Amino acid sequence: MNNLIDVRIKQMRYESDNILSIQLVPIHTKLLPHFNSGAHIDFHFPHGKVRQYSLISPLQDRRYYEIGVLKEPQSLGGSRYIHEQLRVGDLIKISEPRNLFELDDTDQKVLLIAGGIGITPILSMWSSLAIDQRKCDLHYCIRQPNIPFIDRIDEFHIMNRNSHYVTYIGNQQTNGFDIAAVLQQEKVNTHIYVCGSGHFIQYVEAQALAMQWTKEFIHKECFKNPMTELLLASDQEHSLEIASTGQKISLLQTDNIAEVLNKAGYVVPMSCEQGICGTCTLRYTGGELHHQDMILNETDHLTMFTPCCSKIKSQHLIIDL
Ligand code: FES
C-alpha cells in the first residue's frame, strides 16, 4: 500500500456552481511525488472514508497537487464533506498518486472524451499533449453553460496548434455529441480516452466496438458505476472458503463479500466501494461470481474479482487468501 502524505488545503476555488478545485501542499516536504497525466490520489477523510480524485495540477510543478470535486447530490459523505466541511488550512492525508488511466507513449493522434466531472483526468492529458504538441481532439459533454475548467482548456488549446475541441452543453447525457459521427472521421484504433459516468462510457465503448475498434485502444475511467440490478436470494446460505486455512464462512447472496471477510478478520482494504478503483481486488480459485466492477476485463474475471461490489453466484467460492 502507498505511504500516506500529510497535506494542507492551500486554496479552494469554485470552477462552477457545484465544482470546487482544491490545491493541496505538502506539510513535511517541499515537493510531492511525480505523477503522469491520468493519475489520481486517494483522499483520506477524517471520518474514515477514502475517495479517489484525479490530479489536474501541472505535471512539472510538484509544489502542490490540485483536484476537482463535484458536489454529488447523492453523496455518501465524500464530495458533500469536501464542499460543506473542508476549509482552507485544514490538514488531510492523501496517498501517493496511482495511475490506472495512463496515456500511451506513441506520437499518434488521441481522442479525448469527457462527460461532466470526467473532464478531470482528461484535463491533465490535454495539458500534457499540449506540451508534446501531439495531435488531439477533445469532446466535452457538460450540463452547465458556465463550463468548468474552460480557461485551462483554452490555454492548452492555444498552446497546442494540433489540438481541437468541442463542447456539448445541456441536460441530456450526450447533448448532440454523436460518437458514431466522430469516430467516422478517425482511423480505426485511434486511441480513445473516455471518462465519465458508467452509462456515458458504455455509450462510447459500444459504438467504438461496433465500428471495429479493439478493446486495447479504448481506455476508460469511470467515476460512477451503474451497477446492474441483480436478482439475489436473501434466504439461502452460500459459503466462502479461505484457500490458505480451509476456513469456511457462511453468507447470503445479498451480503457484501468484502465486509463479510473483514468481519471474519481478513483485512480487505476498500476505497471506492463501487468497483472502480481496484483497491479491494482479490483472486479466487473456484466458484462463480456476478462481477459488477468497471475495471477488470473478461480474462481477469476468470481469476479475480472486486469483493466490494461483486456477489457470490455459486454455492461455494474459494478465495485465494
Ligand atoms: S473498493 Fe474500489 S474496487 Fe472495491
Side-chain angles (χ1 to χ4, degrees), residues 7-15 19-26 32-33 35-43 52-69 82 94-95 97 117 119-125 127 148-149 151-152 155-156:
V7 292
R8 183 169 53 79
I9 297 180
K10 183 182 171 214
Q11 182 182 297
M12 300 177 89
R13 186 180 101 146
Y14 277 103
E15 301 289 342
I19 295 181
L20 270 174
S21 61
I22 300 164
Q23 285 189 9
L24 308 164
V25 290
L32 288 159
F35 67 97
N36 295 326
S37 51
H40 68 266
I41 51 167
D42 290 344
F43 198 94
Q52 292 73 44
Y53 297 104
S54 298
L55 291 170
I56 58 172
S57 37
L59 303 181
Q60 65 284 4
D61 191 346
R62 293 164 51 210
R63 290 171 303 173
Y64 72 100
Y65 285 159
E66 191 171 27
I67 56 174
V69 182
I82 286 184
I94 59 170
S95 70
I117 192 65
I119 190 63
T120 49
I122 297 287
L123 196 56
S124 173
M125 293 178 177
S127 68
F149 306 110
D151 49 344
R152 303 183 205 206
E155 179 190 337
F156 293 111

Side-chain angles (χ1 to χ4, degrees), residues 3-9 24-29 31-32 90-96:
N3 294 326
L4 293 185
I5 304 169
D6 293 305
V7 292
R8 183 169 53 79
I9 297 180
L24 308 164
V25 290
I27 297 174
H28 304 302
T29 55
L31 299 178
L32 288 159
D90 285 354
L91 305 182
I92 288 291
K93 286 187 190 296
I94 59 170
S95 70
E96 291 180 6

